[in-house]
Every structure is written in C-alpha cells, then in structure tokens.
Amino acid sequence: MNIHEYQAKELLGRYGASVPKGIVAFSPAEARAAAEKLGGSLWVVKSQIHAGGRGAGRFKNDPGGNGGVRVVKSIDEVAANAEKMLSSVLVTKQTGETGREVRRLYIEEGYRIQRELYIGMLIDRATSRITIMASTEGGMEIEEIAHRSPEKILKISIDPATGAQTFHARQVAYGLGLTGKQIGAATRFILSMYRAFTELDAQIVEINPLVLTDDGDILALDAKMSFDDNALFRHADIEALRDESEEDPAELEAARHSLNYVKLDGNIGCMVNGAGLAMATMDIIKLYGGEPANFLDVGGGATRERVAAAFKLILADSKVEGVLVNIFGGIMRCDVIADGVVAAAREVNLNVPLVVRLEGTNVELGKQILRDSGLPIMSADNLADAAQKVTTAVAQATEGVN
Ligand code: GDP
Ligand code: MN
C-alpha cells in the first residue's frame, strides 16, 4: 500500500527524522490559510498523487506550464497556483499518459537548497535484508542513476540480528561526502528512518532529495513510503491513510473480497485457485495463442460469495471476450466453485464463452451443478483442453462479429 508524501513525512517526523513544516490543503482557500499559518517568505506548493516525477511532470490542461511542484514567493501565488493545480490532471513519467487528478496539495515552507542527495531503504530479496542505498545524485530517479553511473550508488546491507547501527549510518554519511555537524545530523536521520521502516513494516522508504540547506541542516524534501500489505492488519493507523481514489478500482474491489487480482491487457479472463496454478493457466493460454486479461487467485478457502465476486470482477473488464475457470479442488470444493460461477453468470447475463475445468474434491457434484444450470458452459477435461477450447471459442465469437 502506498501513501502520500505528506503522510510519509508525518510518520518519519514522529520517528525523529527532520522534515520541513507543512500543511495539507484540499482547496485554494485552505492552501492560502496554510501558507499564512506557516509564515516565512518562501513556500512550496506540491501536488499529492501516488506517483513520482511530479516536479518534472506537466498538467494536461497546461502542457507548456509549470510542473507539479512549485516554489513561490508570496501567499497570493500559493493561492493562485493551488487554484490551477487542484482538479487538474498531472502527467509524470510514472503516471503514464492518463495521468492522475490532483485532489490534495501539500503546502510547505520553502528552503534554499545547497545539495540534493538520495537515500532509500528497501528489502533486498536476494539477501533477505534491508538495504540502504545512498547517492550524491539526489533529485534524479534511482533507476536513472543506476543506469548512468552505478558507481555513484552506495549500498549497505543490514543484518536483521543487529539492525542498523551508528557505524552503518556514519558509513553512509561519509560515503555522501558529508562533513562536520552534517555527519551527526545524517546519522540521526538514517537511524530514525530505519526505525520507521522496521516498526511500520514498510517495503520502501525513499527520500529523494534529502537536502543540505544553506543553514547546514539536513532534511527530507520529498518522502515516499510503501507498506507490506500482509502486515497492515497490525497497523490500523497506517491502513487509515489509504487513499482509495489513487488505487485501481478493480484491484480495490478485489481486495475487499480478499482476492488476489492483477489486471492485465488481454481478452481471456481467468479464475483460478492458487497463485502457481494461476501462473500456469496464464502461460498455457498464451501457448494456445490467447492473451490473459488478468491474474486471479480466489484462494483456498473461497466461499460461494467470493467466487461470485471474482467472476463479476472478471466480466466487468470490457476487454474480456472469454473466461476460463480452472480449479483444482483440494481444500476448495468444486461444488462451491460451481455454485458461485452459476450464481454470478445468471446475475450478470453472461454473454461471452465460458470454459470450466474442474478437478478434485466433489468434482462430479460440481460438474452436475454446471450441467443442471442450463447455462452455455463448456466443460474441459484438462488444462490444455480448457485453454484450447477458450481460445477457439473466443476466435469464433469475434469472427462472427466482424
Ligand atoms: P518529485 O518530482 O515527485 O520527486 O517531487 P519532489 O518533492 O522531489 O520535488 C521535486 C523538486 O522540487 C526537488 O528535487 C527540488 O529540486 C524542488 N523542491 C522541492 N521543495 C523545494 C524547496 O523547498 N525549495 C527549493 N528550492 N526547491 C524545492
Ligand atoms: Mn522526489
């Protein structure tokens, strides 16, 4: 799960990492009030969307204009820019062409920046450890630094038995070329960041840029945090930060029913139990010349309702021209699947070919339910047969239309 920059900064601040003062705003009037409250003579108006590259991004209705992060020198300018940015669609390298509507702004006190650094923490799957990554090339995307000058990325792997220690943090500080009191400040920052990462079950914490100001302070000018979905049950306060308007509606609906669903670009919807079988099903669809429309694992203990929800989710995708249900009934019973599929197919007026392959517990009962339903369901004996049937049926159906 991702959160907004202002939320990440609030969390990091709680752990003692230094962040600029700021106030979130949902309207130009709130933006003005925020700037007045912050005081000073320099403000930054920042679009809050769950995507990076905002500074270099452009608004759809103003392609020649300024980006999604604006440094301004008066309260009137804060309000005027807020007016333009709110409700406008921001397109960045990370949003894709459709962009994202800006619904919130973060109004921050502005700083005069001396140097921009990069610091990130993530879980390295290869070592099963948290890795700290740092670079003097702040402001640039880490992928770009890795591509252009990989030698400028410092990586430190943290042993979970000890956690991050002062010497790790100092190693980063020296690696970034910091001197004098900056070393102590950076060390405190890194240790706070690490504590936030581990205690909140984060997946990624990225500060880009971490800046040195004219006054010699170090602070996080940007912050990105994402969390391990499987640990959210123990962080109700983090779960409460979820912004559903930033999430894919279909994936959100899937999460509500505890379904593992990932939307893809193809035309054959898949409903499978078990992630491995779901992957294999997608592969075999491709082998027979089709393209999967989604990955969907209904899980082991699915109920009739959950199966029906999954089926409706697949059919809500307008690209879907055929559906393949592939269930191996181990814990999952084939009759439960059949009940769910029949109920959902009736409810949505199924009008695309549906191929069902059932095997395992209560398979005969499941097949009987499908036959008795009177619905035009094609039954398959094995996975290859199922894939062949669905791809052929889709090809015939689309030929008929053309
Ligand atoms: P991103 O483009 O989505 O990564 O958004 P950032 O929060 O990183 O902002 C983009 C850039 O705006 C930063 O790299 C800075 O160069 C600039 N910026 C942000 N805040 C300030 C500020 O307080 N003062 C100045 N001078 N520049 C800022
Ligand atoms: Mn940034």
Side-chain angles (χ1 to χ4, degrees):
M1 186 188 103
N2 294 320
I3 59 173
H4 287 292
E5 171 198 4
Y6 76 95
Q7 297 165 327
K9 284 178 168 168
E10 210 272 312
L11 290 172
L12 289 166
R14 263 193 237 168
Y15 281 84
S18 36
V19 293
K21 279 204 281 292
I23 299 169
V24 65
F26 292 83
S27 68
E30 281 181 22
R32 173 182 289 279
E36 277 166 0
K37 195 161 174 206
L38 289 169
S41 56
L42 195 64
W43 296 269
V44 190
V45 184
K46 308 188 76 173
S47 308
Q48 300 296 292
I49 55 171
H50 285 189
R54 297 161 300 166
R58 286 295 172 264
F59 284 94
K60 256 194 180 161
N61 56 2
D62 186 17
N66 292 319
V69 174
R70 302 180 181 179
V71 182
V72 300
K73 290 182 179 148
S74 74
I75 290 178
D76 282 341
E77 282 178 280
V78 170
N81 281 286
E83 178 83 49
K84 284 190 192 143
M85 292 159 80
L86 281 166
S87 309
S88 298
V89 174
L90 181 59
V91 179
T92 81
K93 241 175 150 181
Q94 291 184 11
T95 61
E97 265 172 55
T98 37
R100 293 273 177 83
E101 184 185 335
V102 176
R103 299 158 197 259
R104 315 175 184 202
L105 295 172
Y106 194 41
I107 312 300
E108 268 190 337
E109 52 176 350
Y111 278 90
R112 307 210 184 269
I113 304 169
Q114 235 185 46
R115 275 181 73 196
E116 299 196 10
L117 309 169
Y118 174 94
I119 183 143
M121 294 183 188
L122 52 86
I123 294 168
D124 179 354
R125 304 278 163 202
T127 56
S128 307
R129 291 178 175 193
I130 294 172
T131 296
I132 304 179
M133 300 214 286
S135 175
T136 50
E137 310 302 289
M140 222 194 284
E141 277 178 54
I142 190 71
E143 291 83 0
E144 208 177 319
I145 309 172
H147 183 68
R148 275 207 237 162
S149 33
E151 74 287 352
K152 288 194 173 148
I153 301 176
L154 171 69
K155 286 188 191 171
I156 296 177
S157 178
I158 307 294
D159 189 327
T162 63
Q165 300 289 315
T166 310
F167 76 88
H168 291 124
R170 291 173 70 84
Q171 210 178 324
V172 175
Y174 285 119
L176 291 172
L178 303 180
T179 52
K181 76 167 195 178
Q182 295 167 348
I183 293 172
T187 303
R188 281 190 296 279
F189 187 95
I190 291 162
L191 294 177
S192 301
M193 187 175 161
Y194 181 85
R195 221 157 56 77
F197 189 109
T198 51
E199 285 183 23
L200 299 174
D201 291 309
Q203 233 161 13
I204 293 172
V205 180
E206 189 180 59
I207 310 298
N208 189 20
L210 175 75
V211 298
L212 304 181
T213 67
D214 275 355
D215 308 325
D217 290 329
I218 283 187
L219 73 175
L221 222 62
D222 191 8
K224 173 186 175 167
M225 277 183 106
S226 76
F227 300 90
D228 181 350
D229 289 336
N230 294 314
L232 282 175
F233 72 94
R234 54 185 187 194
H235 300 288
D237 53 335
I238 303 284
E239 175 72 55
L241 300 178
R242 188 185 284 276
D243 180 356
E244 297 198 340
S245 66
E246 291 284 334
E247 299 185 7
D248 180 72
E251 291 183 13
L252 208 62
E253 175 68 10
R256 265 190 216 114
H257 296 282
S258 314
L259 299 162
N260 285 316
Y261 173 87
V262 181
K263 198 178 145 11
L264 301 168
D265 290 330
N267 58 348
I268 297 179
C270 317
M271 180 161 80
V272 189
N273 64 329
L277 190 59
M279 296 297 281
T281 305
M282 286 159 49
D283 278 347
I284 203 153
I285 286 172
K286 286 192 85 116
L287 184 68
Y288 282 96
E291 285 292 335
N294 64 277
F295 168 96
L296 196 158
D297 168 16
V298 288
T303 58
R304 180 176 181 269
E305 286 68 34
R306 205 198 282 180
V307 170
F311 202 71
K312 277 190 248 170
L313 200 63
I314 291 173
L315 291 171
D317 177 354
S318 59
K319 279 194 185 164
V320 168
E321 293 171 335
V323 179
L324 171 52
V325 175
N326 181 26
I327 300 293
F328 180 80
I331 300 168
M332 186 82 217
R333 286 164 23 216
C334 293
D335 56 311
V336 171
I337 290 284
D339 266 339
V341 168
V342 168
R346 285 216 171 97
E347 207 177 309
V348 298
N349 283 325
L350 178 72
N351 59 2
V352 296
L354 167 63
V355 176
V356 180
R357 180 250 174 170
L358 294 175
E359 198 54 78
T361 311
N362 289 0
V363 62
E364 283 315 319
L365 185 55
K367 286 186 172 167
Q368 191 63 44
I369 292 169
L370 296 180
R371 274 195 300 271
D372 292 349
S373 71
L375 290 164
I377 298 172
M378 284 172 268
S379 187
D381 296 324
N382 57 52
L383 187 41
D385 183 37
Q388 205 164 13
K389 275 185 173 143
V390 76
T391 48
T392 309
V394 166
Q396 281 169 355
T398 41
E399 247 168 53
V401 173
N402 294 338

